[in-house]
Amino acid sequence: MPNTNAPAWKALAAHRDQSAGVHLRDLFAADPERFSRFSVGLEGLLVDFSKQRIDAQTLKHLIDLAETARLAEWRDRLFSGDKINFSEKRAVLHPALRNLKLGAFPSVEDDVMPEVRAVRAQMRTFSEKVRGGLWRGFSGEAIRDVVNIGIGGSDLGPKMVVRCLSAYQRAGMRLHFVSNVDSAHMAKLFEMLDPRTTLFVVASKTFSTQETMLNAHTAREWLCAAAGEDCARALPLHFVAVTSDVTRAAAFGLPEANVFKIWDWVGGRYSLWSAVGLPIALSIGMNGFERLLAGAQAMDTHFREAPFEKNLPVLMALIGIWNTNFLGAATSAVLPYHESLRFLPSFLQQLEMESNGKTVGRDGQALSCQANPIVWGEIGSNGQHAFFQLLHQGGWLVPSDFIASAQSDFPLPGHQAPLMANFLAQSAALAFGKTEQEARAELEAAQVPSEQIASLLPHKVFAGNQPSTTIILPRLDPYHLGMLLALYEHKVFVQGVIWGINSFDQWGVELGKQLAGRLLPALTGETGTDGLDQSTRALIAWCREYGDF
Ligand code: F6P
C-alpha cells in the first residue's frame, strides 16, 4: 500500500499547500543554480528536471517517501531474482537479458546466464545468416523481407526500436510488423511481399494469443499456397518462433532449431532485450543489438549505484508521483522531437499503463491514492500544430517529457537547428508563459490601437507553470536508446514500489479476452445471444445484418 499516512506523504501534502501559487518563474528567479541543481548528465544523456515544479525541499520529502517505501530493498529484490511478481509466482529478470558481464546472474545458485547466452549465440548465428544472404527460402533465394507477427510486448518494443535505429539498418532488408487481427494489416502487406523471400518471426511468449496465432496461421497458408507440395519443407525455411512454449511452436510445425526461447521471468513489456528483439538483430545486426543491451546495462548499474538524489530513474519516478499525487495531474505526455521516436509513445503506454494501471495494492487492498496517470504522446513538431494549444492555454495540468537528440540520424542541411529551436522553445513557453504585462508590451510595440489591446489581451496571456522534463541524447544510437528505455523501465518499477503495486502482472486485460471468446460464436451464428446484455445483443444483430462472418 502507498503509505499515505506516512510522515513523508503528509510532509509532501503540506509542502504542496505551502508552495501553492509559486510559479516556475519564481523558482528560476530564486535560484541561479537551478539548472545544475536539478539536472543529471550520464554518458552523454542529459535529463533536465529544472522545469518541474519542485525545489530542494520537494526532493528531500520525495526521497524520504522512497525510503519509507523501502525502495533500496525492493531494488535489491529485483536484481537478486526474488519472485516479486508474486501473483504469477515469477522473478522479474529482464536485467539479466542485458547483462553482458561474465559470471553468474542473479546468483550462482539461480544463474540464468548460460541459457541467456545460448539464445544470444543462436540469435547471432541466425541473424548473420539471414543478413548475409546465406539463409535461403524454399526457392533457393535469400530473404529480403522479415515480418514480425506479435502483439503488445511482442510487437511494440521491437517495432519501436527498429524504427528508432533505422539509420543503422542493413540496406536491402525490410522489416514489417503485423499485430492487428484486422485482416487489412496482413492483407496489405501480402500485396507487397514475395513468399519466396519472406521470413516470418512469430513472437508470442505464450504462443496462444488470439491475434498473433490467427495472423500466423494466415501467413502459413499464404506461404503454403505459394510453396505448393513443398509446404512442409518451406515452413522451417520461412518461419521461426520466439516463445516460452516450445510445445505449441512444435504443434504449429516448427522444429526446436527454429525456436528462440524466452522464459517466464521475462515480462512481455520488458521483453525487447530477449529474443523478442530478434527483428532488431536482423535489422541492425547482433553487434548493434548488443550495443543496445550495453546501454541498458549502463542504466541498470546507474540505477543500482547512484544515490537517490542523482539517480535518474528514481528522480523521474518521484517527480511523476509529485505531479500525479500532489499536484493532481491525470495525464502525462511524451513528446519526442525526433521522427525515429515515432513509436515511443505507444511503447511507453504499454510499459507504464499495463504495469501500474491498477487500483489494488500488493496486499490486495484498494490503494489509498491514484496510481499511474494516462500516458499519451505524439511527435512534438506535429503536436505543436495540433493539440499544444490546450497545453498552453487549456487550463489542464499536463506534465510532459520532451525528448530529442542533438544530432540528426538523417541530416539534411538546415533542418536540425529549427527542430531543436522548437523543441527548446516549447518547454520554455510552457514553463514560463507570457504575463499580461509582457503581452501588453508586445501589442504596444506592434502599435495595436489601445481599444483593440483591451479586447486582445486576455487571449494573448499564457499562464505557463506547465511542468516538463527535457531529455537530450547525443545521438539516437543503440547505446543511448538502450539507456533511455531502461530509464523508463526503472522509473515504472520505482513508482510501482511507492504505490505498492505489483507492476509485473496484468490481470486487467483478461476480462475483455474472456468476453471476446464468448462473443465469437454468437457473431458467427454458432450460438445464440441469450444471456448477453441488451446493448451487445443489439450490436451483434446489427453486425450480422451488415457484416460477413
Ligand atoms: O494481453 C496482454 C498481453 O499479455 C501483454 O502483456 C503481452 O505483451 C501481449 O499480451 C502478448 O502476449 P504474448 O507474447 O504471449 O503473445
Side-chain angles (χ1 to χ4, degrees):
M1 278 284 273
N3 197 345
T4 49
N5 281 322
W9 193 281
K10 289 188 169 158
L12 280 161
H15 174 65
R16 182 258 333 270
D17 294 344
Q18 280 153 17
S19 49
V22 176
H23 197 283
L24 275 165
R25 280 193 296 264
D26 308 319
L27 294 172
F28 272 85
D31 183 2
E33 300 301 318
R34 187 170 171 82
F35 171 79
S36 50
R37 205 183 299 287
F38 296 114
S39 60
V40 179
L42 181 68
E43 297 193 45
L45 175 83
L46 174 73
V47 185
D48 172 19
F49 300 110
S50 66
K51 293 197 196 83
Q52 290 288 348
R53 279 156 56 172
I54 53 168
D55 60 18
Q57 201 57 30
T58 329
L59 266 195
K60 187 194 160 299
H61 294 317
L62 284 168
I63 288 169
D64 288 349
L65 185 65
E67 272 153 12
T68 308
R70 303 204 310 274
L71 175 60
E73 240 175 77
W74 278 99
R75 184 181 54 186
D76 290 346
R77 291 182 67 184
L78 168 78
F79 283 96
S80 64
D82 257 21
K83 294 198 167 148
I84 56 173
N85 176 2
F86 73 90
S87 67
E88 296 178 312
K89 300 190 178 59
R90 290 175 186 165
V92 177
L93 275 176
H94 49 275
L97 300 166
R98 55 237 192 174
N99 174 32
L100 297 169
K101 293 183 193 142
L102 299 173
F105 186 90
S107 63
V108 175
E109 300 73 43
D110 298 312
D111 189 12
V112 296
M113 291 316 297
E115 42 187 354
V116 169
R117 290 188 193 110
V119 175
R120 268 190 220 147
Q122 186 192 4
M123 288 170 73
R124 179 175 289 280
T125 310
F126 178 71
S127 57
E128 281 174 2
K129 264 194 187 166
V130 174
R131 287 162 57 81
L134 300 174
W135 182 281
R136 302 284 166 142
F138 70 90
S139 68
E141 289 172 74
I143 299 299
R144 285 201 294 272
D145 289 278
V146 176
V147 182
N148 187 80
I149 300 178
I151 199 162
S154 299
D155 167 68
L156 291 164
K159 181 170 78 172
M160 177 266 303
V161 173
V162 165
R163 174 64 178 247
C164 285
L165 300 177
S166 53
Y168 297 80
Q169 196 168 334
R170 178 189 174 282
M173 178 71 71
R174 290 180 302 196
L175 274 293
H176 315 272
F177 292 84
V178 173
S179 52
N180 200 337
V181 75
D182 179 351
S183 51
H185 205 171
M186 190 67 109
K188 281 182 130 177
L189 205 53
F190 285 160
E191 284 171 14
M192 55 179 285
L193 295 178
D194 180 344
R196 292 168 303 179
T197 55
T198 300
L199 174 78
F200 293 96
V201 179
V202 183
S204 176
K205 184 174 162 183
T206 54
F207 224 72
S208 64
T209 303
Q210 187 197 37
E211 294 85 345
T212 300
M213 295 328 296
L214 190 50
N215 280 327
H217 281 93
T218 302
R220 190 174 65 180
E221 277 163 30
W222 178 75
L223 172 76
C224 283
E229 288 179 357
D230 251 357
C231 174
R233 189 179 69 84
L235 196 64
L237 301 177
H238 291 269
F239 275 82
V240 293
V242 179
T243 186
S244 63
D245 198 326
V246 184
T247 316
R248 284 201 171 119
F252 182 80
L254 293 178
E256 224 177 308
N258 284 47
V259 178
F260 294 82
K261 191 120 190 350
I262 53 173
W263 306 272
D264 70 353
W265 45 261
V266 186
R269 49 195 176 274
Y270 300 86
S271 66
L272 72 89
W273 322 100
S274 70
V276 167
L278 187 60
I280 306 169
L282 288 165
S283 173
I284 64 166
M286 197 60 193
N287 289 347
F289 183 67
E290 288 188 351
R291 285 299 290 159
L292 181 82
L293 301 184
Q297 185 183 29
M299 188 54 74
D300 290 343
T301 306
H302 167 80
F303 177 48
R304 293 179 84 168
E305 294 176 358
F308 287 172
E309 298 74 26
K310 288 287 166 198
N311 192 309
L312 284 170
V314 173
L315 291 171
M316 211 173 178
L318 292 176
I319 291 169
I321 284 177
W322 171 247
N323 286 334
T324 303
N325 297 117
F326 297 93
L327 300 186
T331 85
S332 137
V334 184
L335 304 169
Y337 275 69
H338 201 301
E339 192 54 31
S340 301
L341 286 169
R342 173 165 291 283
F343 297 136
L344 182 69
S346 6
F347 170 79
L348 292 180
Q349 280 181 326
Q350 188 198 16
L351 178 64
E352 301 209 15
M353 297 205 275
E354 199 169 60
S355 297
N356 288 339
K358 294 162 189 170
T359 50
V360 174
R362 285 189 298 263
D363 56 3
Q365 302 295 311
L367 297 184
S368 52
C369 68
Q370 182 63 50
N372 217 85
I374 297 158
V375 179
W376 59 284
E378 166 62 300
I379 293 287
S381 306
N382 302 348
Q384 270 177 233
H385 298 275
F387 56 80
F388 269 45
Q389 163 64 33
L390 178 144
L391 304 188
H392 286 293
Q393 292 185 314
W396 294 97
L397 178 67
V398 185
S400 39
D401 288 352
F402 281 79
I403 309 170
S405 72
Q407 289 174 42
S408 166
D409 295 349
F410 297 97
L412 286 176
H415 282 253
Q416 185 67 2
L419 174 76
M420 294 304 276
N422 276 286
F423 166 71
L424 298 173
Q426 287 295 332
S427 60
L430 286 168
F432 306 120
K434 193 186 280 178
T435 61
E436 193 176 311
Q437 212 181 6
E438 288 163 343
R440 183 186 295 282
E442 267 183 21
L443 290 166
E444 284 170 357
Q447 298 186 330
V448 176
S450 57
E451 64 283 4
Q452 277 184 35
I453 290 185
S455 66
L456 276 176
L457 203 52
H459 305 282
K460 298 273 186 176
V461 171
F462 290 67
N465 217 18
Q466 195 73 287
S468 70
T469 294
T470 299
I471 302 177
I472 306 181
L473 290 75
R475 189 172 173 192
L476 190 59
D477 56 26
Y479 188 86
H480 289 96
L481 178 63
M483 288 180 80
L484 179 75
L485 300 177
L487 165 61
Y488 275 100
E489 284 183 351
H490 290 315
K491 166 203 153 176
V492 168
F493 171 74
V494 172
Q495 292 187 328
V497 168
I498 291 173
W499 285 319
I501 284 173
N502 175 7
S503 304
F504 301 103
D505 59 12
Q506 59 284 320
W507 300 105
V509 298
E510 293 304 322
L511 175 59
K513 286 187 194 173
Q514 279 168 9
L515 270 179
R518 273 181 59 201
L519 298 190
L520 181 62
L523 261 172
T524 54
E526 287 160 61
T527 61
T529 57
D530 288 355
L532 298 175
D533 69 87
Q534 187 192 137
S535 165
T536 307
R537 276 202 320 266
L539 293 171
I540 287 178
W542 190 278
C543 290
R544 283 183 56 75
E545 186 173 346
Y546 290 98
D548 180 13
F549 306 104

